[in-house]
Amino acid sequence: MAPTVSAAGVLTGTCSRCNAQTSVALPKLSTTDYNYTITKAATCTAAGTGRYTWKTTTYGTFYFDVTIPKTAHNYQTAVTPPTCTAQGYTTHTCAVCGDSYKDSYTDALGHAWDNGVVTKPATETEPGIKLYTCTRCGATRTETIPVIGHVHNYTETVVAPTCTAQGYTLHTCSCGDSYKDSYTAALGHSFGAWTTVTSATCTASGTETRTCTRCGQQESRAIPALGHAESDWIIDRNPSCTASGYKHTECTRCGVTVNTAIIAAVGHKESGWITDKAATCTASGTRHTECTVCGATIQTGVITALGHAWDAGVITKPATETETGIKTFTCTRCGETKTEVIPKLDGKVNPFVDVPEGKYYYNPVLWAYYHQPYQITGGTDATHFSPNKTCTREQVVSFLYAAYDKPEHHMTTNPFTDVKAGKYYYNAVMWAVENKITGGATETTFGIGKPCTREQVVTFLWKAAGAPAPKSTANPFTDVKAGKYYYNAVLWAVENGITGGATETTFGVGKPCTRAQVVTFLYKAVGEG
């Protein structure tokens, strides 16, 4: 039972598998549970269709269609004024469908003759001619001027106007001379009401006529075919998860089928991922999704091994000038440990008050400071390294250039307007571009002064190392997407212990790299770490 504006309805559904039935209350149409759309606009001569759609938490989406009555003609009027010889009238034309008719007829005005001009004077032996001109339309008529001495004896005959012809007075002399005057306008037709001759049907047009009450002339016109009065959709078979259903509409006047349509299969309603076997640090897990309606398995998937979540590490044996030290790292998930050798100091003195022993970057900073044959970097002043200061693009390629012992380059053309000859980073930039370690920020600028991000730094290191393919495709980071320029570089860096993530599940793409982080990456990639 369909709902109305004032009463609720009921939707009854039957399971196509077990024939079980269930009913859903359909709220009144005046509620806001429905979304109403027009699926077929009404026209002047044909009804349209509107659709009410709503959702239930139990049975999904339902809809039903309603008929939108055809609209009235939108007639625009144009007045044609009468002329001396023709009626005036008003034309009504529908701006939507073009249908038109005429009414409001006004009589023809009749000629407005002037006083006339003698174009040929009469004589005693020949008649003359007098020319009259209509002051409205310019039409002319002539009148005979009798010969001098002859007196006309005119008889007047009044001719009444008809629907289509003017009336006038005819003056006829016994000598045969005649003329007309006192014109009156044609009456115009006086039509009665339209009478149906043949009624229109759904598919065929009809006809109607009307008759002039004065002269009996008839007019006829077509009555447009009514068009089918389409019913709402009638469900012939409901769809299931995997099988489609079908439906049709009928004409409420003649009963013919108007439309048929396939109802798409509902499709599986997929659950969220269900874990079958949880992933560990070193072993992948499995998972699947199910259809919440029929229980079929829809997807299966692998849960990537989590990888070890190493802590910041603890120095279990400090390095001395004669012996290496040991730093022990523990996985915060599974408790597995790994160790890292801390190089012996070899008499190297730490000049920086902001690089305390025990920090992850302690040995990388001293390595960079004492690197031979070229120092990779000094401090920001004599006693400060500024470990948390952001590194720029030109600083990173300069560090990398020195770490590789400043190899020669053969670039003779500088494509960048912001890279000036003589600057400390000039040769480093030319070498990096020549060896495709990096390009510019744009076609004409390198990006001097721009912060260098974590993914950019590991990409520089990876390309400088020959862009080796990572041994594993396991990716623990949600912000490192396959196909990105840095994807393989990040997997390679993590696989080789050069860096981990900013968190357990994110690499920190877009985060600026600090001086301490850059020299640590270099130390682990190409140094003594």
Side-chain angles (χ1 to χ4, degrees), residues 309-314 328-338:
W310 302 112
D311 62 10
V314 176
T328 302
F329 299 85
T330 303
C331 177
T332 58
R333 275 194 289 265
C334 68
E336 184 174 329
T337 61
K338 70 172 183 176

Side-chain angles (χ1 to χ4, degrees), residues 217-464:
Q217 181 173 324
Q218 283 192 332
E219 282 187 346
S220 63
R221 67 181 183 184
I223 304 172
L226 302 176
H228 291 301
E230 191 172 6
S231 69
D232 294 338
W233 284 105
I234 300 168
I235 304 298
D236 301 303
R237 187 178 76 185
N238 286 310
S240 66
C241 290
T242 56
S244 59
Y246 53 90
K247 59 185 179 179
H248 75 280
T249 63
E250 299 176 350
C251 176
T252 58
R253 278 193 291 267
C254 67
V256 301
T257 297
V258 179
N259 277 308
T260 60
I262 300 296
I263 307 173
V266 176
H268 293 301
K269 296 187 180 300
E270 190 171 8
S271 68
W273 284 104
I274 301 169
T275 300
D276 302 307
K277 177 184 173 184
T280 66
C281 292
T282 56
S284 59
T286 58
R287 60 182 181 174
H288 74 281
T289 63
E290 299 176 349
C291 175
T292 59
V293 178
C294 67
T297 297
I298 299 175
Q299 292 191 75
T300 60
V302 175
I303 305 172
T304 305
L306 303 176
H308 292 299
W310 302 112
D311 62 10
V314 176
I315 297 176
T316 51
K317 178 186 175 184
T320 68
E321 292 187 0
T322 58
E323 292 187 0
T324 58
I326 297 174
K327 190 173 186 179
T328 302
F329 299 85
T330 303
C331 177
T332 58
R333 275 194 289 265
C334 68
E336 184 174 329
T337 61
K338 70 172 183 176
T339 60
E340 182 180 284
V341 175
I342 303 172
K344 57 187 177 180
L345 298 179
D346 292 333
K348 296 175 182 175
V349 177
N350 176 10
F352 304 122
V353 296
D354 56 354
V355 181
E357 189 171 352
K359 288 290 187 180
Y360 74 88
Y361 51 81
Y362 179 78
N363 285 326
V365 169
L366 294 186
W367 167 77
Y369 184 75
Y370 286 106
H371 184 270
Q372 294 296 326
Y374 300 105
Q375 183 186 58
I376 293 173
T377 181
T380 54
D381 61 37
T383 58
H384 293 84
F385 183 74
S386 301
N388 296 321
K389 188 173 181 179
T390 298
C391 246
T392 62
R393 285 170 52 82
E394 70 274 14
Q395 290 170 344
V396 174
V397 294
S398 296
F399 292 178
L400 186 61
Y401 182 56
Y404 276 90
D405 299 335
K406 298 187 177 180
E408 290 186 4
H409 68 82
H410 304 285
M411 289 267 299
T412 58
T413 301
N414 173 13
F416 305 124
T417 58
D418 58 348
V419 175
K420 306 300 181 183
K423 292 290 186 179
Y424 75 87
Y425 50 76
Y426 181 82
N427 286 327
V429 170
M430 295 298 105
W431 167 77
V433 172
E434 180 180 79
N435 287 277
K436 294 181 171 46
I437 294 168
T438 182
T442 69
E443 290 186 4
T444 58
T445 61
F446 182 73
I448 298 298
K450 288 183 177 292
C452 203
T453 60
R454 286 170 54 81
E455 70 275 13
Q456 290 172 343
V457 174
V458 295
T459 302
F460 292 175
L461 294 172
W462 176 64
K463 288 187 176 180

Side-chain angles (χ1 to χ4, degrees), residues 181-206:
D181 63 7
S182 302
Y183 285 88
T184 56
L187 301 175
H189 291 298
S190 176
F191 286 108
W194 288 100
T195 302
T196 299
V197 178
T198 306
S199 297
T201 66
C202 292
T203 56
S205 60

Side-chain angles (χ1 to χ4, degrees), residues 2-3 29 36-43 45-52 64-71 226-234 249-253 258-259:
L29 297 184
Y36 176 74
T37 56
I38 295 175
T39 56
K40 176 184 175 184
T43 68
T45 58
T49 307
R51 175 165 293 177
Y52 289 89
F64 65 90
D65 294 332
V66 295
T67 298
I68 303 171
K70 62 183 180 181
T71 60
L226 302 176
H228 291 301
E230 191 172 6
S231 69
D232 294 338
W233 284 105
I234 300 168
T249 63
E250 299 176 350
C251 176
T252 58
R253 278 193 291 267
V258 179
N259 277 308

